[in-house]
Amino acid sequence: VDVVMYGAALGACSRAARWREALEILREMETGDPALDSMAPPRPNIICYSAAITACERGGEWRKALNLLLCMVNAGLKPDISAYNAAISASAKCGEWQMAIKLFSSMKNNRLKPDVVTIGSTLLACYKGKRPDKAMELFSYSQRYGGPMISMQSISTLVELLDECKLYDKMVYVFDQAVAVGPNAEDG
């Protein structure tokens, strides 16, 4: 059995939010040494780790997703945008806005360009944490660096947050910016 077969199994776990099974498969891959034992499973690659992180994200296990991101780094692999996005999304879904912001910063520090999913997940974390200041920083970032990196759904989330916090001037500003971009904003 090769890494592609293990990756496919992890992908299936990811799609089904079967995080326990994904972790078991990943641990099996991490324990063997193919150089010493021809029957040992292959070492996990970035795709395998990303699929397991996504399984944890979909299962609401944000701490386990973050642990896998760290394991990935400890294994000498550089997390890609998919791994970061899954970890940020896991943090966001569980209301861990500080962690989502830290991961967003880490991603940029590692020279990965955030995409529409990154911005959307991090904005969701800000919404759940009632952090309009951080949400506006993200919005400004998306406007400065390669926008539109923000979906209309994310703009709606931001406008709703600003409305709930009674920040009407900022709400109008975001709305005006969204209208200026028009229907060409990425949907995600």
Side-chain angles (χ1 to χ4, degrees):
V1 179
D2 64 5
V3 73
V4 174
M5 295 297 288
Y6 277 93
L10 285 163
C13 291
S14 170
R15 288 185 293 282
R18 306 285 300 252
W19 62 271
R20 285 183 184 90
E21 290 85 347
L23 291 180
E24 286 177 28
I25 293 168
L26 202 61
R27 296 298 172 241
E28 179 182 328
M29 293 178 78
E30 290 173 333
T31 56
D33 188 349
L36 299 175
D37 179 4
S38 63
M39 299 302 290
R43 292 284 187 202
N45 61 16
I46 292 171
I47 295 168
C48 293
Y49 275 106
S50 292
I53 292 168
T54 301
C56 291
E57 176 253 332
R58 291 184 176 159
E61 295 292 329
W62 72 275
R63 285 188 179 100
K64 292 188 184 333
L66 295 178
N67 185 51
L68 288 176
L69 199 63
L70 182 60
C71 289
M72 190 177 191
V73 171
N74 290 338
L77 300 171
K78 184 177 178 183
D80 62 0
I81 195 164
S82 297
Y84 270 106
N85 281 347
I88 290 170
S89 180
S91 299
K93 288 178 180 178
C94 295
E96 295 295 326
W97 68 269
Q98 295 107 325
M99 186 54 66
I101 294 289
K102 285 179 185 175
L103 288 168
F104 181 84
S105 294
S106 174
M107 186 176 169
K108 291 188 316 180
N109 292 340
N110 285 301
R111 302 200 192 311
L112 290 172
K113 184 178 179 184
D115 64 8
V116 68
V117 174
T118 314
I119 299 289
S121 294
T122 312
L123 275 172
L124 177 62
C126 293
Y127 175 80
K128 287 190 172 192
K130 301 296 182 219
R131 294 305 308 247
D133 55 329
K134 297 295 184 185
M136 285 303 295
E137 286 176 24
L138 282 168
F139 182 74
S140 294
Y141 172 86
S142 72
Q143 297 298 301
R144 282 191 314 267
Y145 300 104
M149 288 191 320
I150 188 165
S151 69
M152 293 311 249
Q153 179 182 359
S154 294
I155 289 173
S156 294
T157 300
L158 177 56
V159 167
E160 186 175 332
L161 172 61
L162 295 171
D163 183 37
E164 288 176 9
C165 295
K166 299 181 184 352
L167 298 170
Y168 304 117
D169 289 343
K170 289 182 180 181
M171 188 174 85
V172 170
Y173 170 76
V174 169
F175 178 77
D176 287 345
Q177 294 298 309
V179 169
V181 171
N184 294 329
E186 294 183 45
D187 215 6

